[in-house]
Amino acid sequence: MSSKIRIEDARRFRVGDGFRLSDVDPTATPGFSGSDKDLKKELVQHDEEIGVLQEKLHAEKQNSLLIIAQGMDTSGKGGLIKRLLDPMSPLGYRVQPFGRPTEEEAAHDFLWRVERALPKPGEVVCFDRSHYEDVLVQKVDALAPAEEIERRYGAIVEFEQQLAERNIMLIKVMLHISKDFQKENLRDRLQNPEKLWKFDPSDLNARAEWDEYMDAYQIALERTSTETAPWYCIPGDNKDYARAVVKHLVVDALRTIDPQYPTPDFDPKAELATLESMD
Amino acid sequence: MSSKIRIEDARRFRVGDGFRLSDVDPTATPGFSGSDKDLKKELVQHDEEIGVLQEKLHAEKQNSLLIIAQGMDTSGKGGLIKRLLDPMSPLGYRVQPFGRPTEEEAAHDFLWRVERALPKPGEVVCFDRSHYEDVLVQKVDALAPAEEIERRYGAIVEFEQQLAERNIMLIKVMLHISKDFQKENLRDRLQNPEKLWKFDPSDLNARAEWDEYMDAYQIALERTSTETAPWYCIPGDNKDYARAVVKHLVVDALRTIDPQYPTPDFDPKAELATLESMD
């Protein structure tokens, strides 16, 4: 018999005191036992509710939701974002990829481009990578001095604290895959003509630095997982499981925001009477 | 027996010489006869192909697609955009609404904010309203001097000509609804608590100026429908019919662009060998 993922299962991935990335088994699916088909059903179980809540969020224009997706290459950030947005209206969301900083971006503080990409009131925005690259790849490849990397953890905590004050709710997700799973995925990209475009030779450089990346994630997650902006470190080898877990976090966040259709600043009955009196 | 909409049916809505908006029957569904259920099937018939073509467009990063949706209030621009994007990946598209210009936007030429919102190579962008508002509402409500409105038609033609040279393919759609249909829709918004947020009292002002708007559309469409940037004026009272027609235009445009997965600038076999030699 299959068991459903509950919100408690999703919450247990929250990064708190004593968190060790090495304790998280990328192949595990805690709270779930069942077939792939059961999991596909799990994946859409909240879709209708998410659709309604997002419409209200968009209508009310008071709060917004920012979802940050991080993870090693092929961890499924893109697929996750697609599934999260599936039940929502594209008129109310936006996907923001973060690549290598442009010349203009590099001339500013690392949070400059993030500030510009934040959701407006009512919006749902998904970051495909984020300012965390500035304490991950920049640390591993020593693209910034150690003191600057050190400064950034504090700057991020402060920045994200301000987001809460600006009514931007934050969900930060690390999709944690195993090194073996990445190998399978990279092999698949290299052997499949329809996936080859997703491969970049630099992916292998990052793979060669796997342990350094895990160390950088460990530090980033423990230094920046706070009460208002917690990290969730989710086993990623079963992609549908990870997606289902994050959908729980999304519906949970939207319920907490509890958006409402706005109170009209006009009298609907009077407007209706005017309408009926017109051609 | 039901008849399917063909690409020829979609093309016949192209605005050409001698076009008269008043000749277009908003309630007609040329080329289609069948049930609502048949129409729902029509609506998704190209979805798989659209998904593949958009992924290739996104992968290739050479060309892009800009879809402009115009029409009176409640003509279904938002619903159209949602359906068009349904089969596509949100990592490759963006929706850009155009509201009343901000102070900063109003301080610039009317095309300034449009230039900034154009698709990047590989992107699909949908404009929910557009620079055409600057020759529609701005003309009807005399928000700009007549000479300035006059100048804008030429400026638009020139601007859109440049888009073609920048590999941005353009689909311009006017959803043409009847005045009766708008009344039904506005009534529905005013009576339905879940739709009330979409109503704005200014909608009734625009409705009172219906004939002036139709005149402004007539002039805008005849002055700016060109070989490279044609307008399509589509009967809008049957929303699913209009959506199915525009989906034909979209798949037709993507087939014309004929995007290809990019040729890798590395040797996949060598990369695979490197991968296999790693942990």
Side-chain angles (χ1 to χ4, degrees), chain A residues 93 187 207 276 278-279, chain B residues 93 183 187 207 276 279:
Chain A
Y93 66 68
R187 193 184 283 137
R207 180 172 171 79
E276 300 296 359
M278 297 172 88
D279 282 353
Chain B
Y93 66 67
K183 193 171 210 167
R187 193 184 283 135
R207 180 173 171 78
E276 299 297 359
D279 282 352

Side-chain angles (χ1 to χ4, degrees), chain A residues 30-80:
Chain A
F32 178 77
S33 63
S35 66
D36 290 353
K37 212 174 139 193
D38 293 330
L39 208 40
K40 293 278 177 210
K41 269 189 225 158
E42 287 271 306
L43 208 46
V44 295
Q45 66 169 311
H46 297 303
D47 276 14
E48 208 178 314
E49 184 179 357
I50 290 175
V52 171
L53 289 170
Q54 186 237 348
E55 180 173 274
K56 288 182 175 180
L57 186 83
H58 180 56
E60 189 180 36
K61 289 193 173 30
Q62 293 293 321
N63 301 281
S64 51
L65 181 61
L66 175 59
I67 300 161
I68 292 180
Q70 285 287 159
M72 297 295 282
D73 292 314
T74 80
S75 60
K77 299 181 288 292
L80 170 71

Side-chain angles (χ1 to χ4, degrees), chain B residues 1-67:
Chain B
M1 211 184 113
S2 88
S3 74
K4 283 206 170 188
I5 303 167
R6 295 156 311 156
I7 181 63
E8 295 74 34
D9 299 312
R11 288 197 191 119
R12 78 164 78 172
F13 296 118
R14 187 175 175 138
V15 172
D17 288 344
F19 168 80
R20 298 299 314 163
L21 181 56
S22 51
D23 292 342
V24 180
D25 176 3
T27 68
T29 59
F32 178 77
S33 64
S35 66
D36 290 354
K37 212 175 139 191
D38 294 328
L39 208 40
K40 293 277 178 212
K41 271 189 224 156
E42 287 272 305
L43 209 45
V44 295
Q45 65 168 312
H46 296 302
D47 276 14
E48 209 178 312
E49 184 180 357
I50 290 175
V52 171
L53 288 170
Q54 186 237 349
E55 181 174 274
K56 289 182 174 181
L57 186 84
H58 180 56
E60 189 180 38
K61 290 195 175 24
Q62 292 294 320
N63 301 280
S64 53
L65 180 62
L66 175 59
I67 300 162

